Amino acid sequence: QVQLVESGGGLVQPGGSLRLSCAASGRIFRINAMGWYRQAPGKERELVADNTFSGSTNYADSVKGRFTISRDNAKNTVYLQMNSLKPEDTAVYYCHAALCLRFGVCRNDYWGQGTQVTVSS
């Protein structure tokens, strides 16, 4: 059983910072990619940033220059440093992973439970 456990959400003022963490646990053979999505009320879930096993990263245009994704492969953990937060960043943030339980047995639909980020004065 694979679990993704997130932490670090909360309430912050505009211009502030938060750091999200997501740790993957269970019998994991290899993590191919980990990342963050978010879903605001009334909107579809969207990619915020992801990081592949090879180290390449992708960011949504709306967060480039403000958010930074990083990984600690030894801990199976991904982080999202969010700076210069704006009210429009308010959403539930979900950790996502694409991983293999053993050689040749892989899935790309592992999700965390979500953590609320609220940016408001």
Side-chain angles (χ1 to χ4, degrees), residues 38 62-63 66-67 84-91 93 117 119:
R38 67 186 181 188
S62 60
V63 307
R66 300 188 298 122
F67 291 10
S84 302
L85 282 160
K86 304 176 181 180
E88 51 263 44
D89 294 316
T90 295
Y93 284 69
V117 172
V119 185

Side-chain angles (χ1 to χ4, degrees), residues 8-18 20 38-41 67 82 85-93 115-121:
L11 173 64
V12 64
Q13 292 186 342
S17 298
L18 282 175
L20 306 182
R38 67 186 181 188
Q39 188 167 19
F67 291 10
M82 305 185 293
L85 282 160
K86 304 176 181 180
E88 51 263 44
D89 294 316
T90 295
V92 178
Y93 284 69
T115 185
Q116 178 69 47
V117 172
T118 302
V119 185
S120 175
S121 56

Side-chain angles (χ1 to χ4, degrees), residues 96-111:
H96 170 264
L99 56 87
C100 300
L101 301 179
R102 57 184 183 272
F103 182 78
V105 180
C106 306
R107 285 172 47 187
N108 64 355
D109 59 350
Y110 290 96
W111 294 94

Side-chain angles (χ1 to χ4, degrees), residues 75-95:
K75 296 181 178 180
N76 288 340
T77 299
V78 65
Y79 306 96
L80 185 69
Q81 179 65 44
M82 305 185 293
N83 298 329
S84 302
L85 282 160
K86 304 176 181 180
E88 51 263 44
D89 294 316
T90 295
V92 178
Y93 284 69
Y94 295 92
C95 179

Side-chain angles (χ1 to χ4, degrees), residues 5-26:
V5 179
E6 301 138 334
S7 61
L11 173 64
V12 64
Q13 292 186 342
S17 298
L18 282 175
R19 188 189 193 212
L20 306 182
S21 300
C22 172
S25 62

